């Protein structure tokens, strides 16, 4: 029977259409992996072509050794760091000059790399740079929210093949974030505990949605998942802001994230995907009612008229089946598959 499930955070209902159900493996891309060179002369992110990017913000390491991760302003930035942050309210029209920061994090010097096939240490380097930029930009009083994200593959919006992530810092709090903060606060006021600490306690005990667990993080399918294989990675201890992650936790997150990406790579044959760090606006960093997480969303289906018309999604894969499928995929086959 089909089933409707409600997302505890967004209050959105989704239809889990088991009548149309697909087995998880039916969503595999059957994509033939094209060999990609490790260096491309025309690529602005490849080593040796640093002059083709705007002036570098940072590189890691910065001790004169060849860089492993680099941060540069986005050449085609969505927002401008030199704009004023003037608000203009006129009747129902609200506008602000397009102030903000839009940065590119070059994940690796290797053009052919894919995070799913990288080493845990490489992913750790990238996450440390995320934290550094997140904490630096959080100090800017003009900034109210920071989104870190990665687009992998054309269907996920990647315009450059060279592995990279992005960060956009905005002068406003997006309504999605505000809604989650409100729901988190409502739950905290009603029940006296963080909604996501509560969720994790329940899900870890139940186990059906868990994909994998590290020392400090757990990856799980979402009960009311709007799209197949939407997976969240939560820190096990309560933490509202990604900026508060410790070095030991970064090492564990690198392992859990890389293993999850490898499972998706092997099980669904290198699907296009996005992942994003969902954290609080800077002023809420010590909030008891919000808990940051990483959301990984493979782009396996397309949004159609019903979703646009109702805001309700139809998901054809039962999240419990997706979790079981991913638990059984051997992540260590990823490096063999990519070789
Ligand atoms: Zn490149
Ligand atoms: Zn919590």
């Amino acid at each position: 029977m089909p089933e409707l499930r409600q997302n505890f955070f967004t209050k959105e209902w989704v239809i889990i259409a088991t009548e149309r159900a697909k087995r998880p493996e039916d969503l595999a891309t059957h994509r033939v992996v094209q060999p990609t060179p490790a260096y491309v002369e025309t690529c602005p992110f490849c080593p040796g072509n640093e002059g083709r990017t705007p002036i570098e913000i940072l590189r890691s390491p910065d001790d004169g050794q060849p860089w492993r991760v680099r941060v540069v302003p986005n050449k085609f930035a969505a927002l401008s760091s030199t704009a004023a942050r003037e608000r203009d309210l006129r009747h129902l029209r609200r506008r602000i000059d397009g102030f903000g920061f839009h940065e590119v994090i070059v994940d690796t010097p290797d053009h052919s790399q894919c995070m799913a096939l990288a080493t845990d240490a490489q992913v750790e380097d990238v996450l440390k740079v995320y934290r550094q930029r997140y904490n630096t930009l959080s100090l800017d009083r003009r900034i109210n929210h920071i989104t870190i994200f990665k687009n992998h593959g054309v269907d996920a919006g990647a315009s450059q093949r060279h592995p990279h992530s992005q960060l956009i810092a905005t002068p406003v709090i997006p309504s999605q974030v505000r809604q989650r903060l409100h729901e988190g606060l409502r739950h905290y006021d009603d029940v006296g505990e963080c909604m996501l600490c509560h969720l994790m306690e329940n899900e870890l005990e139940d186990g059906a949605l868990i994909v994998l667990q590290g020392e400090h993080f757990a990856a799980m399918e979402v009960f009311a998942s709007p799209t197949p294989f939407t997976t969240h990675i939560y820190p096990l201890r309560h933490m509202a802001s990604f900026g508060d992650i410790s070095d030991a936790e970064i090492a564990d997150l690198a392992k859990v994230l890389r293993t999850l990406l490898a499972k998706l790579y092997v099980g669904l044959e290198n699907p296009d995907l996005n992942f994003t760090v969902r954290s609080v606006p800077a002023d809420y960093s010590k909030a008891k009612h919000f808990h940051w997480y990483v959301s990984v969303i493979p782009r396996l289906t397309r949004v159609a008229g019903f979703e646009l018309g109702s805001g309700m999604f139809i998901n054809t894969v039962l999240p419990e089946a997706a979790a079981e499928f991913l638990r059984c995929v051997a992540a260590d086959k990823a490096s063999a598959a990519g070789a």
Side-chain angles (χ1 to χ4, degrees):
M1 284 297 274
E3 190 185 330
L4 285 113
R5 293 184 176 187
Q6 190 183 33
N7 186 302
F8 63 93
F9 233 169
T10 63
K11 303 301 171 202
E12 297 284 4
W13 288 92
V14 300
I15 300 174
I16 308 288
T18 46
E19 300 299 303
R20 299 178 171 197
K22 293 200 159 74
R23 288 172 302 158
E25 54 270 39
D26 292 341
L27 288 177
T29 62
H30 302 304
R31 175 176 287 168
V32 178
V33 177
Q34 300 292 344
T36 308
Y39 169 78
V40 172
E41 204 181 329
T42 53
C43 172
F45 300 155
C46 275
N49 303 341
E50 287 85 353
R52 295 187 194 193
T53 60
I55 294 169
E56 183 174 290
I57 295 167
L58 71 83
R59 62 170 59 194
S60 168
D62 59 2
D63 56 2
Q65 300 290 316
W67 59 266
R68 296 195 297 270
V69 184
R70 235 181 129 232
V71 182
V72 294
N74 193 314
K75 201 170 184 175
F76 307 101
L79 293 169
S80 163
S81 58
T82 56
R85 202 190 61 151
E86 293 300 316
R87 274 183 186 251
D88 181 10
L89 309 177
R90 203 170 302 161
H91 302 296
L92 293 178
R93 292 185 175 183
R94 297 172 187 196
R95 61 173 299 287
I96 308 178
D97 287 338
F99 169 77
F101 296 93
H102 187 172
E103 301 180 350
V104 173
I105 296 134
V106 183
D107 296 344
T108 163
D110 183 348
H111 188 92
S112 64
Q113 186 61 269
C114 167
M115 198 177 264
L117 310 179
T119 62
D120 293 346
Q122 270 177 286
V123 180
E124 191 179 335
D125 282 340
V126 175
L127 295 176
K128 281 186 171 161
V129 169
Y130 286 2
R131 178 180 61 182
Q132 190 175 343
R133 292 310 298 153
Y134 186 89
N135 284 338
T136 301
L137 290 169
S138 291
L139 296 174
D140 190 318
R141 298 299 301 161
R142 300 168 298 172
I143 291 301
N144 275 316
H145 191 65
I146 298 169
T147 304
I148 300 171
F149 59 99
K150 184 171 178 65
N151 304 333
H152 169 72
V154 173
D155 281 348
S159 51
Q160 286 282 355
R161 166 66 181 81
H162 195 115
H164 66 284
S165 317
Q166 297 179 65
L167 174 155
I168 296 187
T170 57
V172 294
I173 298 177
S175 62
Q176 269 199 12
V177 175
R178 182 168 61 188
Q179 185 179 18
R180 283 164 170 77
L181 281 170
H182 283 172
E183 285 306 328
L185 182 60
R186 198 190 316 274
H187 185 89
Y188 187 84
D189 284 346
D190 288 350
V191 182
E193 65 175 338
C194 160
M195 188 188 257
L196 287 165
C197 284
H198 187 173
L199 168 95
M200 245 182 320
E201 199 179 306
N202 292 349
E203 295 302 351
L204 288 170
E205 191 182 314
D206 179 85
L209 294 171
I210 305 296
V211 177
L212 73 137
Q213 192 181 339
E215 195 182 335
H216 301 289
F217 287 86
M220 62 185 82
E221 293 306 294
V222 176
F223 174 73
S225 174
T227 55
F229 291 94
T230 295
T231 311
H232 287 179
I233 303 174
Y234 297 106
L236 296 176
R237 77 166 164 110
H238 180 79
M239 214 182 334
S241 171
F242 167 70
D244 287 337
I245 188 171
S246 69
D247 284 349
E249 286 166 334
I250 280 205
D252 192 57
L253 176 60
K255 193 169 166 191
V256 170
L257 175 62
R258 216 271 316 148
T259 307
L260 172 66
L261 294 176
K263 282 173 175 278
L264 291 167
Y265 187 99
V266 173
L268 300 174
E269 301 178 29
N270 190 17
D272 290 353
L273 59 82
N274 301 99
F275 72 72
T276 172
V277 177
R278 282 193 171 273
S279 180
V280 279
D283 290 343
Y284 295 80
S285 65
K286 300 299 171 215
K288 292 174 184 165
H289 64 275
F290 192 87
H291 194 120
W292 73 269
Y293 58 98
V294 179
S295 178
V296 181
I297 305 172
R299 303 299 290 265
L300 301 162
T301 53
R302 287 187 188 279
V303 169
F306 178 69
E307 284 87 354
L308 291 176
S310 67
M312 281 173 77
F313 279 72
I314 301 175
N315 181 350
T316 51
V317 176
L318 190 67
E320 288 81 350
E324 189 183 3
F325 175 76
L326 290 179
R327 278 197 299 272
C328 296
V329 174
D332 54 7
K333 284 194 183 144
S335 34

